[in-house]
Amino acid sequence: MFDTELLDGSEGSVRRAAALIQSGEVVGMPTETVYGLAANAFDPAAVAKIFAAKERPADNPLIVHISDLTMISDIAAELPQIAVTCAKKFWPGPLTMVLPKTPNVPYITSGGLDTVGVRMPSHPLALALISAAGTPLAAPSANLSGSPSPTCAAHVMKDMSGRIPAVIDGGECDAGVESTVICFEDGAIKILRPGRITAQMLAEVNPDVRIDKGVLHAVDNGERVASPGMKYKHYAPKAKVTIIDGSREQFAAYVSRNAYNGTFCIVFDEADLGGAEVPHIVIGGTSEEQAHGLFAALREADERGAEEVLTRCPKTDGVGLAVYNRLIRAAAFRVVKL
Ligand code: AMP
Ligand code: MG
């Protein structure tokens, strides 16, 4: 049991966090996507502590974070030209590339796979921590497995207090959804998990962009999946979430017919409720705003003791695909089509 320290973003804090990582510990780290739980990616005992702190299934691989392109040769056994192009265009930033791993990367880090996800984050504190630690950092989202990802230090403290020695407070995450995960297959770019880097942006590198079927559909038990994280219950608050797919007027009418004491609504605009007096949160009308606010909204539903969450249905183009992908899992694929 740790007395978890909340560190500020000073140089001294980064040095302290780096020293913890070098001694084989796990630290909560801000990134531009969501907060991560970081440990030395090459140290199996340290990585095992990440899995324990999160209660994460062992076959769900971790993403390895670098601060400099030269670090990649220790991690990826091959670097196709298209990966170099993507790195130049999107790094540092919210793109993870799945590549064949070197023997340096222990199987505990890659979830038993011969491939590894690599990313260079753009958050200055993440970059500073990786360089100060002097090693690539394995870092999944810093939430308990299954719950909404943390987008501020308070969320990390809520889930990880007592489980890890320290969290660096870097303020609110910009993107609010995890990185876009891609792999390269038959000359195409395949999106395994959508994020802030959209299909349209990737198409500028290679027009052949495919979207893995796990992005929008439930993965059947026992089915082999390209992105192992997709098969788990994910992002879910304690409340039962239902997506209401219809116009603003249809949503408002549905809420006034069905809301009870335990209902909490996630809406894009105050007007979505049509004046109904139901506890709610407004996350904004653009896909970027929705990505930024979604996980905090799901956490707020729990804080307010909601039993049921009714939410409007996001658009699915651009960054909206990431919002929809997270929300549909939070809702266990429950959608009411009006
Ligand atoms: P998280 O670290 O919680 O953001 O989750 C990382 C996710 O990235 C995993 O759940 C996978 O879906 C995906 N991922 C990471 N590494 C690989 C890999 N080697 N192959 C396929 N997907 C990966
Ligand atoms: Mg996660």
Side-chain angles (χ1 to χ4, degrees):
M1 193 60 183
F2 292 99
D3 186 6
T4 308
E5 268 183 90
L6 186 59
L7 303 171
D8 62 16
S10 66
E11 267 176 46
S13 294
V14 170
R15 273 199 304 275
R16 161 112 189 93
L20 283 166
I21 282 172
Q22 285 166 344
S23 71
E25 286 302 335
V26 176
V27 168
M29 160 179 90
T31 82
E32 74 280 19
T33 58
V34 301
Y35 275 72
L37 271 190
N40 180 352
F42 296 143
D43 177 350
V47 172
K49 292 180 186 173
I50 298 179
F51 281 91
K54 275 184 69 84
E55 301 177 19
R56 183 175 174 105
D59 65 348
N60 193 356
L62 307 184
I63 292 168
V64 175
H65 294 70
I66 58 175
S67 57
D68 188 299
L69 252 186
T70 58
M71 289 171 124
I72 205 169
S73 53
D74 282 343
I75 300 163
E78 288 159 44
L79 198 59
Q81 190 50 46
I82 185 167
V84 176
T85 310
C86 285
K88 284 194 181 137
K89 196 171 165 71
F90 299 113
W91 282 359
L95 181 74
T96 297
M97 297 193 275
V98 173
L99 297 164
K101 78 170 193 71
T102 64
N104 298 340
V105 179
Y107 278 108
I108 186 169
T109 300
S110 68
L113 300 172
D114 290 313
T115 54
V116 61
V118 191
R119 151 169 135 81
M120 190 193 294
S122 66
H123 196 296
L125 287 171
L127 290 170
L129 182 60
I130 302 163
S131 346
T135 177
L137 300 181
S141 51
N143 52 290
L144 285 173
S145 193
S147 40
S149 300
T151 56
C152 66
H155 296 165
V156 184
M157 289 301 274
K158 173 107 207 301
D159 283 18
M160 291 298 146
S161 193
R163 293 173 179 251
I164 58 173
V167 178
I168 301 180
D169 188 348
E172 256 185 49
C173 299
D174 177 29
V177 288
E178 304 84 346
S179 59
T180 304
V181 179
I182 60 170
C183 68
F184 305 105
E185 205 179 82
D186 310 325
I189 297 179
K190 191 169 181 188
I191 298 180
L192 304 178
R193 178 177 73 183
R196 240 310 176 62
I197 305 291
T198 62
Q200 292 82 342
M201 290 158 81
L202 291 163
E204 288 172 24
V205 174
N206 179 344
D208 190 355
V209 177
R210 301 175 194 171
I211 295 175
D212 188 67
K213 85 181 204 312
V215 167
L216 288 173
H217 302 283
V219 175
D220 296 333
N221 267 347
E223 197 177 333
R224 212 187 147 273
V225 285
S227 182
M230 290 296 175
K231 70 183 178 194
Y232 294 107
K233 174 173 167 277
H234 243 127
Y235 318 120
K238 292 184 193 76
K240 174 181 165 196
V241 181
T242 306
I243 301 174
I244 311 301
D245 186 3
S247 67
R248 167 178 286 173
E249 291 69 30
Q250 287 171 317
F251 179 83
Y254 186 91
V255 169
S256 59
R257 268 199 318 275
N258 295 284
Y260 65 100
N261 294 345
T263 303
F264 179 81
C265 291
I266 299 178
V267 295
F268 302 152
D269 190 291
E270 203 58 58
D272 292 347
L273 286 167
E277 283 187 25
V278 181
H280 64 278
I281 186 167
V282 178
I283 60 173
T286 68
S287 297
E288 286 74 14
E289 288 170 323
Q290 291 163 14
H292 179 82
L294 178 66
F295 287 138
L298 292 170
R299 281 176 178 264
E300 185 162 338
D302 277 348
E303 303 257 293
R304 299 231 216 154
E307 286 168 18
E308 168 192 73
V309 174
L310 300 178
T311 157
R312 288 211 62 195
C313 186
K315 290 197 292 252
T316 56
D317 58 333
V319 178
L321 187 63
V323 179
Y324 187 77
N325 167 268
R326 305 310 191 274
L327 194 52
I328 192 98
R329 282 174 170 73
F333 294 87
R334 254 185 315 273
V335 182
V336 173
K337 255 190 144 25
L338 298 176

PDB file of all heavy atoms in Angstrom, residues 19-46:
ATOM      1  N   ALA A  19      13.308   8.800 -11.069  1.00  0.00           N
ATOM      2  CA  ALA A  19      14.048   7.950 -10.128  1.00  0.00           C
ATOM      3  C   ALA A  19      13.171   6.770  -9.693  1.00  0.00           C
ATOM      4  O   ALA A  19      13.653   5.635  -9.579  1.00  0.00           O
ATOM      5  CB  ALA A  19      14.496   8.763  -8.919  1.00  0.00           C
ATOM      6  N   LEU A  20      11.888   7.026  -9.470  1.00  0.00           N
ATOM      7  CA  LEU A  20      10.971   5.933  -9.108  1.00  0.00           C
ATOM      8  C   LEU A  20      10.919   4.900 -10.231  1.00  0.00           C
ATOM      9  O   LEU A  20      10.971   3.689  -9.990  1.00  0.00           O
ATOM     10  CB  LEU A  20       9.564   6.492  -8.832  1.00  0.00           C
ATOM     11  CG  LEU A  20       9.377   7.191  -7.486  1.00  0.00           C
ATOM     12  CD1 LEU A  20       8.070   7.987  -7.464  1.00  0.00           C
ATOM     13  CD2 LEU A  20       9.385   6.155  -6.344  1.00  0.00           C
ATOM     14  N   ILE A  21      10.834   5.392 -11.471  1.00  0.00           N
ATOM     15  CA  ILE A  21      10.782   4.470 -12.606  1.00  0.00           C
ATOM     16  C   ILE A  21      12.079   3.661 -12.712  1.00  0.00           C
ATOM     17  O   ILE A  21      12.049   2.445 -12.929  1.00  0.00           O
ATOM     18  CB  ILE A  21      10.458   5.246 -13.899  1.00  0.00           C
ATOM     19  CG1 ILE A  21       8.949   5.553 -13.904  1.00  0.00           C
ATOM     20  CG2 ILE A  21      10.856   4.447 -15.146  1.00  0.00           C
ATOM     21  CD1 ILE A  21       8.476   6.461 -14.984  1.00  0.00           C
ATOM     22  N   GLN A  22      13.210   4.334 -12.504  1.00  0.00           N
ATOM     23  CA  GLN A  22      14.490   3.615 -12.573  1.00  0.00           C
ATOM     24  C   GLN A  22      14.621   2.580 -11.460  1.00  0.00           C
ATOM     25  O   GLN A  22      15.347   1.611 -11.605  1.00  0.00           O
ATOM     26  CB  GLN A  22      15.654   4.615 -12.518  1.00  0.00           C
ATOM     27  CG  GLN A  22      15.801   5.349 -13.846  1.00  0.00           C
ATOM     28  CD  GLN A  22      16.693   6.576 -13.755  1.00  0.00           C
ATOM     29  OE1 GLN A  22      16.984   7.065 -12.660  1.00  0.00           O
ATOM     30  NE2 GLN A  22      17.118   7.076 -14.912  1.00  0.00           N
ATOM     31  N   SER A  23      13.896   2.784 -10.358  1.00  0.00           N
ATOM     32  CA  SER A  23      13.963   1.775  -9.291  1.00  0.00           C
ATOM     33  C   SER A  23      12.876   0.705  -9.475  1.00  0.00           C
ATOM     34  O   SER A  23      12.603  -0.069  -8.559  1.00  0.00           O
ATOM     35  CB  SER A  23      13.849   2.442  -7.922  1.00  0.00           C
ATOM     36  OG  SER A  23      12.525   2.912  -7.737  1.00  0.00           O
ATOM     37  N   GLY A  24      12.240   0.686 -10.669  1.00  0.00           N
ATOM     38  CA  GLY A  24      11.296  -0.396 -10.978  1.00  0.00           C
ATOM     39  C   GLY A  24       9.869  -0.132 -10.535  1.00  0.00           C
ATOM     40  O   GLY A  24       9.061  -1.056 -10.444  1.00  0.00           O
ATOM     41  N   GLU A  25       9.545   1.166 -10.285  1.00  0.00           N
ATOM     42  CA  GLU A  25       8.183   1.493  -9.846  1.00  0.00           C
ATOM     43  C   GLU A  25       7.325   2.022 -11.008  1.00  0.00           C
ATOM     44  O   GLU A  25       7.809   2.235 -12.126  1.00  0.00           O
ATOM     45  CB  GLU A  25       8.232   2.526  -8.717  1.00  0.00           C
ATOM     46  CG  GLU A  25       8.693   1.947  -7.382  1.00  0.00           C
ATOM     47  CD  GLU A  25       7.803   0.793  -6.884  1.00  0.00           C
ATOM     48  OE1 GLU A  25       6.630   0.732  -7.268  1.00  0.00           O
ATOM     49  OE2 GLU A  25       8.305  -0.036  -6.105  1.00  0.00           O
ATOM     50  N   VAL A  26       6.066   2.266 -10.690  1.00  0.00           N
ATOM     51  CA  VAL A  26       5.069   2.720 -11.660  1.00  0.00           C
ATOM     52  C   VAL A  26       4.632   4.137 -11.274  1.00  0.00           C
ATOM     53  O   VAL A  26       4.383   4.403 -10.105  1.00  0.00           O
ATOM     54  CB  VAL A  26       3.837   1.787 -11.621  1.00  0.00           C
ATOM     55  CG1 VAL A  26       2.734   2.287 -12.535  1.00  0.00           C
ATOM     56  CG2 VAL A  26       4.237   0.362 -11.973  1.00  0.00           C
ATOM     57  N   VAL A  27       4.540   5.025 -12.264  1.00  0.00           N
ATOM     58  CA  VAL A  27       4.165   6.413 -11.991  1.00  0.00           C
ATOM     59  C   VAL A  27       3.026   6.844 -12.921  1.00  0.00           C
ATOM     60  O   VAL A  27       3.011   6.493 -14.106  1.00  0.00           O
ATOM     61  CB  VAL A  27       5.403   7.338 -12.205  1.00  0.00           C
ATOM     62  CG1 VAL A  27       5.006   8.800 -12.211  1.00  0.00           C
ATOM     63  CG2 VAL A  27       6.462   7.083 -11.136  1.00  0.00           C
ATOM     64  N   GLY A  28       2.074   7.604 -12.409  1.00  0.00           N
ATOM     65  CA  GLY A  28       1.002   8.174 -13.228  1.00  0.00           C
ATOM     66  C   GLY A  28       1.538   9.357 -14.022  1.00  0.00           C
ATOM     67  O   GLY A  28       2.147  10.256 -13.447  1.00  0.00           O
ATOM     68  N   MET A  29       1.328   9.330 -15.342  1.00  0.00           N
ATOM     69  CA  MET A  29       1.962  10.318 -16.238  1.00  0.00           C
ATOM     70  C   MET A  29       0.920  10.976 -17.137  1.00  0.00           C
ATOM     71  O   MET A  29       0.125  10.293 -17.779  1.00  0.00           O
ATOM     72  CB  MET A  29       2.993   9.553 -17.091  1.00  0.00           C
ATOM     73  CG  MET A  29       3.420  10.215 -18.373  1.00  0.00           C
ATOM     74  SD  MET A  29       4.670   9.239 -19.271  1.00  0.00           S
ATOM     75  CE  MET A  29       3.641   8.200 -20.332  1.00  0.00           C
ATOM     76  N   PRO A  30       0.925  12.329 -17.204  1.00  0.00           N
ATOM     77  CA  PRO A  30      -0.004  12.980 -18.133  1.00  0.00           C
ATOM     78  C   PRO A  30       0.469  12.802 -19.576  1.00  0.00           C
ATOM     79  O   PRO A  30       1.677  12.783 -19.833  1.00  0.00           O
ATOM     80  CB  PRO A  30       0.086  14.462 -17.733  1.00  0.00           C
ATOM     81  CG  PRO A  30       1.427  14.612 -17.093  1.00  0.00           C
ATOM     82  CD  PRO A  30       1.775  13.285 -16.477  1.00  0.00           C
ATOM     83  N   THR A  31      -0.455  12.625 -20.491  1.00  0.00           N
ATOM     84  CA  THR A  31      -0.119  12.694 -21.920  1.00  0.00           C
ATOM     85  C   THR A  31      -1.212  13.537 -22.579  1.00  0.00           C
ATOM     86  O   THR A  31      -2.187  13.904 -21.919  1.00  0.00           O
ATOM     87  CB  THR A  31      -0.051  11.309 -22.616  1.00  0.00           C
ATOM     88  OG1 THR A  31      -1.373  10.898 -22.968  1.00  0.00           O
ATOM     89  CG2 THR A  31       0.619  10.251 -21.759  1.00  0.00           C
ATOM     90  N   GLU A  32      -1.064  13.827 -23.860  1.00  0.00           N
ATOM     91  CA  GLU A  32      -2.066  14.641 -24.542  1.00  0.00           C
ATOM     92  C   GLU A  32      -3.351  13.852 -24.828  1.00  0.00           C
ATOM     93  O   GLU A  32      -4.373  14.445 -25.161  1.00  0.00           O
ATOM     94  CB  GLU A  32      -1.492  15.234 -25.832  1.00  0.00           C
ATOM     95  CG  GLU A  32      -1.325  14.262 -27.000  1.00  0.00           C
ATOM     96  CD  GLU A  32      -0.075  13.386 -26.898  1.00  0.00           C
ATOM     97  OE1 GLU A  32       0.489  13.246 -25.781  1.00  0.00           O
ATOM     98  OE2 GLU A  32       0.329  12.831 -27.930  1.00  0.00           O
ATOM     99  N   THR A  33      -3.303  12.511 -24.673  1.00  0.00           N
ATOM    100  CA  THR A  33      -4.517  11.717 -24.920  1.00  0.00           C
ATOM    101  C   THR A  33      -5.272  11.533 -23.599  1.00  0.00           C
ATOM    102  O   THR A  33      -6.290  12.169 -23.365  1.00  0.00           O
ATOM    103  CB  THR A  33      -4.160  10.361 -25.550  1.00  0.00           C
ATOM    104  OG1 THR A  33      -3.264   9.645 -24.698  1.00  0.00           O
ATOM    105  CG2 THR A  33      -3.551  10.535 -26.921  1.00  0.00           C
ATOM    106  N   VAL A  34      -4.762  10.627 -22.736  1.00  0.00           N
ATOM    107  CA  VAL A  34      -5.299  10.427 -21.397  1.00  0.00           C
ATOM    108  C   VAL A  34      -4.088  10.201 -20.489  1.00  0.00           C
ATOM    109  O   VAL A  34      -2.967  10.111 -20.972  1.00  0.00           O
ATOM    110  CB  VAL A  34      -6.262   9.195 -21.330  1.00  0.00           C
ATOM    111  CG1 VAL A  34      -7.438   9.380 -22.288  1.00  0.00           C
ATOM    112  CG2 VAL A  34      -5.537   7.881 -21.615  1.00  0.00           C
ATOM    113  N   TYR A  35      -4.290  10.107 -19.176  1.00  0.00           N
ATOM    114  CA  TYR A  35      -3.164   9.805 -18.278  1.00  0.00           C
ATOM    115  C   TYR A  35      -2.745   8.350 -18.449  1.00  0.00           C
ATOM    116  O   TYR A  35      -3.582   7.471 -18.672  1.00  0.00           O
ATOM    117  CB  TYR A  35      -3.541  10.072 -16.819  1.00  0.00           C
ATOM    118  CG  TYR A  35      -3.341  11.516 -16.410  1.00  0.00           C
ATOM    119  CD1 TYR A  35      -4.202  12.505 -16.897  1.00  0.00           C
ATOM    120  CD2 TYR A  35      -2.295  11.901 -15.577  1.00  0.00           C
ATOM    121  CE1 TYR A  35      -4.006  13.836 -16.545  1.00  0.00           C
ATOM    122  CE2 TYR A  35      -2.102  13.230 -15.211  1.00  0.00           C
ATOM    123  CZ  TYR A  35      -2.955  14.193 -15.704  1.00  0.00           C
ATOM    124  OH  TYR A  35      -2.760  15.508 -15.361  1.00  0.00           O
ATOM    125  N   GLY A  36      -1.431   8.105 -18.336  1.00  0.00           N
ATOM    126  CA  GLY A  36      -0.908   6.750 -18.442  1.00  0.00           C
ATOM    127  C   GLY A  36      -0.292   6.290 -17.128  1.00  0.00           C
ATOM    128  O   GLY A  36       0.016   7.102 -16.259  1.00  0.00           O
ATOM    129  N   LEU A  37      -0.155   4.950 -17.002  1.00  0.00           N
ATOM    130  CA  LEU A  37       0.562   4.362 -15.856  1.00  0.00           C
ATOM    131  C   LEU A  37       1.873   3.869 -16.412  1.00  0.00           C
ATOM    132  O   LEU A  37       1.912   2.868 -17.119  1.00  0.00           O
ATOM    133  CB  LEU A  37      -0.193   3.151 -15.323  1.00  0.00           C
ATOM    134  CG  LEU A  37      -1.247   3.299 -14.269  1.00  0.00           C
ATOM    135  CD1 LEU A  37      -1.636   1.918 -13.757  1.00  0.00           C
ATOM    136  CD2 LEU A  37      -0.791   4.190 -13.130  1.00  0.00           C
ATOM    137  N   ALA A  38       2.974   4.580 -16.080  1.00  0.00           N
ATOM    138  CA  ALA A  38       4.230   4.348 -16.781  1.00  0.00           C
ATOM    139  C   ALA A  38       5.236   3.545 -15.966  1.00  0.00           C
ATOM    140  O   ALA A  38       5.404   3.764 -14.766  1.00  0.00           O
ATOM    141  CB  ALA A  38       4.846   5.697 -17.157  1.00  0.00           C
ATOM    142  N   ALA A  39       5.911   2.620 -16.657  1.00  0.00           N
ATOM    143  CA  ALA A  39       7.031   1.873 -16.055  1.00  0.00           C
ATOM    144  C   ALA A  39       8.024   1.547 -17.167  1.00  0.00           C
ATOM    145  O   ALA A  39       7.684   1.648 -18.357  1.00  0.00           O
ATOM    146  CB  ALA A  39       6.531   0.587 -15.402  1.00  0.00           C
ATOM    147  N   ASN A  40       9.241   1.178 -16.779  1.00  0.00           N
ATOM    148  CA  ASN A  40      10.277   0.790 -17.750  1.00  0.00           C
ATOM    149  C   ASN A  40       9.781  -0.372 -18.617  1.00  0.00           C
ATOM    150  O   ASN A  40       9.570  -1.477 -18.116  1.00  0.00           O
ATOM    151  CB  ASN A  40      11.535   0.394 -16.959  1.00  0.00           C
ATOM    152  CG  ASN A  40      12.687  -0.020 -17.867  1.00  0.00           C
ATOM    153  OD1 ASN A  40      12.518  -0.164 -19.080  1.00  0.00           O
ATOM    154  ND2 ASN A  40      13.855  -0.205 -17.268  1.00  0.00           N
ATOM    155  N   ALA A  41       9.637  -0.118 -19.918  1.00  0.00           N
ATOM    156  CA  ALA A  41       9.059  -1.114 -20.832  1.00  0.00           C
ATOM    157  C   ALA A  41       9.907  -2.373 -20.942  1.00  0.00           C
ATOM    158  O   ALA A  41       9.399  -3.440 -21.319  1.00  0.00           O
ATOM    159  CB  ALA A  41       8.880  -0.496 -22.220  1.00  0.00           C
ATOM    160  N   PHE A  42      11.208  -2.267 -20.623  1.00  0.00           N
ATOM    161  CA  PHE A  42      12.120  -3.414 -20.770  1.00  0.00           C
ATOM    162  C   PHE A  42      12.241  -4.238 -19.487  1.00  0.00           C
ATOM    163  O   PHE A  42      12.946  -5.231 -19.459  1.00  0.00           O
ATOM    164  CB  PHE A  42      13.517  -2.918 -21.176  1.00  0.00           C
ATOM    165  CG  PHE A  42      13.565  -2.254 -22.532  1.00  0.00           C
ATOM    166  CD1 PHE A  42      14.393  -1.154 -22.746  1.00  0.00           C
ATOM    167  CD2 PHE A  42      12.810  -2.734 -23.601  1.00  0.00           C
ATOM    168  CE1 PHE A  42      14.461  -0.537 -23.996  1.00  0.00           C
ATOM    169  CE2 PHE A  42      12.866  -2.116 -24.847  1.00  0.00           C
ATOM    170  CZ  PHE A  42      13.684  -1.025 -25.049  1.00  0.00           C
ATOM    171  N   ASP A  43      11.600  -3.795 -18.408  1.00  0.00           N
ATOM    172  CA  ASP A  43      11.740  -4.451 -17.101  1.00  0.00           C
ATOM    173  C   ASP A  43      10.463  -5.232 -16.774  1.00  0.00           C
ATOM    174  O   ASP A  43       9.452  -4.653 -16.375  1.00  0.00           O
ATOM    175  CB  ASP A  43      12.013  -3.360 -16.050  1.00  0.00           C
ATOM    176  CG  ASP A  43      12.116  -3.931 -14.628  1.00  0.00           C
ATOM    177  OD1 ASP A  43      11.804  -5.123 -14.417  1.00  0.00           O
ATOM    178  OD2 ASP A  43      12.497  -3.154 -13.729  1.00  0.00           O
ATOM    179  N   PRO A  44      10.498  -6.566 -16.957  1.00  0.00           N
ATOM    180  CA  PRO A  44       9.275  -7.360 -16.774  1.00  0.00           C
ATOM    181  C   PRO A  44       8.662  -7.210 -15.381  1.00  0.00           C
ATOM    182  O   PRO A  44       7.428  -7.177 -15.259  1.00  0.00           O
ATOM    183  CB  PRO A  44       9.723  -8.810 -17.000  1.00  0.00           C
ATOM    184  CG  PRO A  44      11.065  -8.738 -17.616  1.00  0.00           C
ATOM    185  CD  PRO A  44      11.665  -7.392 -17.323  1.00  0.00           C
ATOM    186  N   ALA A  45       9.499  -7.062 -14.344  1.00  0.00           N
ATOM    187  CA  ALA A  45       8.947  -6.954 -12.981  1.00  0.00           C
ATOM    188  C   ALA A  45       8.215  -5.628 -12.809  1.00  0.00           C
ATOM    189  O   ALA A  45       7.155  -5.571 -12.164  1.00  0.00           O
ATOM    190  CB  ALA A  45      10.065  -7.093 -11.953  1.00  0.00           C
ATOM    191  N   ALA A  46       8.756  -4.560 -13.407  1.00  0.00           N
ATOM    192  CA  ALA A  46       8.105  -3.248 -13.314  1.00  0.00           C
ATOM    193  C   ALA A  46       6.789  -3.263 -14.094  1.00  0.00           C
ATOM    194  O   ALA A  46       5.767  -2.748 -13.627  1.00  0.00           O
ATOM    195  CB  ALA A  46       9.044  -2.168 -13.852  1.00  0.00           C
TER     196      ALA A  46
END
